[in-house]
Amino acid sequence: MNFIRIICQLVFILCVVSSCSDTKSKSRASGQEKSNPPNFKKKAKELIAAMTLEEKVSQMNYESPAIARLGIPQYNWWNECLHGVARAGRATVFPQAIGLAATFDKNQMTKISEAISDEARAKHHEFAARGKRGIYQGLTFWTPNINIFRDPRWGRGMETYGEDPYLAGELAVRFIKGLQGDDPHYLKLVATAKHFAVHSGPEIDRHRFDATPSPQDFLNTYSPHFEKVVKEADVYSIMCAYNSYHGMPCCGNQELSSLLRDDWGFNGYIVSDCWAIKDFYDKGTHEISADAKEASAVAVKAGTDLNCGDSYPALVEAVKSGLIKQEELDVSLERLLIARLKLGLFAPEGAVKYESISYDVVDSENHKLLALQTARKSMVLLKNENNTLPLNKDKVKRIAVIGSNADDLEVLLGNYNGYPTEPVTPLKGIKQKLPNAKVSYAVGCKLAEGLPIFEAIPQSVLFTDNSGEVTGLKGEYFDNISFEGHPKHTRIDKTVNFTWRTTPPFEDMDYDTYSVRWTGVLSVDKTGNYALGGEAFSSMKLFLDDQLLIQRQDVHHPKKIYEYVKLEAGKKYKLRFECVQDNTDHSIMRLLWESPKDNIEEEAVAIAKESDVVILCMGISPLLEGEEMKVKVDGFSGGDRVHTKLPKTQTELIKKIKALGKPTILVLLNGSALSINWENDNIPAILEAWYPGQAGGTAIADVIFGDYNPAGRLPVTFYKDIGDIPPFSNYEMKGKTYRYFKGDPLYEFGYGLSYSTFKYSNFQVPENLEAGNDITVRVDVENTGTLDGEEVVQIYVQNPNADTYNPHKTLAAFERIAFKAGEKKTLTFKINSEQLSNVNKEGDKVVTPGQYLISVGGAQPSKHRIEKKSVVVKRINISGNTVKV
């Protein structure tokens, strides 16, 4: 038997090497192969048949090692491209996902995702050409995050497309299609819809939380957009969530995987969230399994094919112990191998058209322009009292730009980001817009009490030794990542404030694999509390008097970390800062601090007094909201928010600036809704800019000074107070999001102003319709303003008879359309019958007879808007019997 197996393997190896090798044959694919679809399933089965148990298990881990004898190269499944290729160095950075949602622009989503996938392909082939096959270098991307942003306290809500499942689904379909490409045989990338299912915080509880939504909430809110991307976008991967669903962890939940595969027809693979399988058995988490082998067997049996984590190696013992059969592993393994084959990773050269994409597409001029266009489209004008905006560029001579977010790269990039070559902050954008004006800048206040205002530690307090004769730190540069041997180079660096892209610190060192150790003495001339920290893309450690002060181990943690310490004037503190650059083409190594300052507010007030206009850049930061963060700031917890107000540090400064009587514009940079009640009552112009990506500063200036007419819309509700909605951990939808909230919001979902006005007329809707039929509506829309502009036309269905378990109002269609000044267009929309459905007690989606209201306009209907004809409403009678949809 062993002899026969060896012969079979030898024959198979010849086949694999000749036609399936990742190194690729020099010959081009034949015309016959191009015309005949590749049989990926057959090839996958052949590969599996030749594997040992240990080899099979090894390929089910996100870090899949090479199997040289079968011609299978090493592959790392982990990659990210939430709003641009992330964590792999240079890339075009588009607005954060919540900003993409604010565009309400499906066509723009297609353009963005096509650009991202071009860059992803180009970067992958560049990495592979250099033998790089590590994390963030493959073609399987764990994007997009389409969870519903049901509560503004969730720190990861910025990664989503907002609170509405229809909007999220429509945008996600376009995004996924753009990522995966249009080739009939090969995938451009693999997109991953995450996190399935019913996942949206709190972050601190995500490893033990059990979500138990009602059938109505699950079918109305938590599942329809996932179903849409499976059925309409053919998404090839799904990531299961950390939390449990009705008592069973999502990554071990057969009910959820059955819904995906059996009911919706999902044909791809399921990947666990990272280290989610560990939550099956770790103490204090779900604790449904005794150990790794039992947990891994449960997960695979439930259809989780790929493990991001370190649990699946235990599958070898699980098979030997009888917890799972090897044939069950084969099912998952086949899905994974088919994915790699469909990506063309084993294809002969020339078979996959995407391999010809040139690296010069990465952050190219065309993509920079697309990032700017998208940032402009994402801007939401919240208030414009007495036409304060746009400002006249020719009349404004002195401008005060104030705020922690005015000149901070972090708030441009958000999280899960790459690194652009030419980022533009709001301060820089305003300076570029008005080269002949006096633009003054002051931070003014901390973004929040407890969050430092970072700057590089200056050379005046850094010394090479206790003598204090030489300023700076001794830098030792190693050509490895473990500080082994003697340093390749040694020099004195006056400060540690470096950003290296594809240029290494020295020409004779690899730019993507090195480490640096800086040593010396820190001595300050003022006793006080100092924030000492650092920023690095890979790992870093900071020691003070040989005690570890901070540590960042990998790229999954925030780039900037810090600790507050008390330093005494004149005392000499031993300092050691170590950074590692591991397998990426972008390097950040910065030694940072915040020194005690007493006059930052006075400085801001002083420049405001001397200005013609004040632009306040406020909001939040990815250092405060995000994924499972160790935040030590009042108002924030674990990456989530405790409330939705601006931090007190900001509101106090805004009130003092307002008291000066200067024309004032408030620009918000944040990833989630804010309760800016006082600001709305007192500041004449407010612009929501989100985390706007690399061109955010230019886009903000374009809107403020009238070179772009804003048309973005809110993809979330801005509540007046967090007490207006139920508790964060309550997953019932009753009372949350515009579809269920009955109160008076500060700004509602779909809201946004323009410098133009739009009139709606001649709204044609059938008066009577039988249940189950789709609806076709027509309306005339006219730009009645003096400026060209875009309008986001929104159609809502209202069901006056909906019970408390079903939405009383829902978005049914939308389109972003450009109009010349004075232009009038007749638009036609089709409303799917499912948009009129509700979910009954039996868990069925049904359309029931009765009267419904259909509205069309640039926002949700209101009495004021109906009177102004910016929204029109008609009633429709649905007749016949109740129909399942």
Side-chain angles (χ1 to χ4, degrees), residues 77-120:
W77 294 78
W78 191 338
N79 217 332
E80 308 281 357
C81 64
L82 180 63
H83 54 122
V85 180
R87 298 176 175 175
R90 178 183 174 185
T92 306
V93 180
F94 296 93
Q96 178 59 283
I98 194 69
L100 299 182
T103 70
F104 273 67
D105 195 326
K106 290 174 279 191
N107 293 331
Q108 193 74 6
M109 291 295 280
T110 298
K111 295 175 184 177
I112 294 164
S113 56
E114 287 176 347
I116 291 172
S117 56
D118 278 353
E119 294 195 9

Side-chain angles (χ1 to χ4, degrees), residues 169-184:
E170 289 293 295
L171 297 181
V173 164
R174 293 298 191 97
F175 195 80
I176 289 166
K177 284 185 173 182
L179 292 185
Q180 295 192 161
D182 58 1
D183 189 274

Side-chain angles (χ1 to χ4, degrees), residues 381-389 391 613-614 616 654 657-658 661-666 678-687 747 751 753:
L381 185 59
L382 298 177
K383 185 181 179 183
N384 193 21
E385 186 177 86
N386 298 323
N387 295 322
T388 299
L389 295 178
L391 299 178
V613 64
V614 179
L616 297 169
I654 292 172
I657 298 296
K658 169 62 179 174
K662 298 284 184 176
T664 302
I665 293 97
L666 174 60
W678 185 91
E679 291 80 3
N680 183 62
D681 291 339
N682 293 277
I683 304 298
I686 304 174
L687 180 67
Y747 310 113
Y751 171 81
L753 303 176

Side-chain angles (χ1 to χ4, degrees), residues 163 673-677 680 714 716-721 724-725 737-739 741-751 808-809 860-861 865:
E163 69 183 37
L674 292 167
S675 300
I676 49 168
N677 302 322
N680 183 62
L714 292 180
V716 290
T717 302
F718 278 42
Y719 304 100
K720 291 181 178 178
D721 190 274
D724 292 345
I725 63 174
T737 77
Y738 82 96
R739 301 168 77 223
F741 180 64
K742 298 293 182 71
D744 182 26
L746 181 63
Y747 310 113
E748 74 268 31
F749 173 92
Y751 171 81
H808 60 87
K809 181 192 305 178
Q860 293 184 42
R865 290 172 185 145

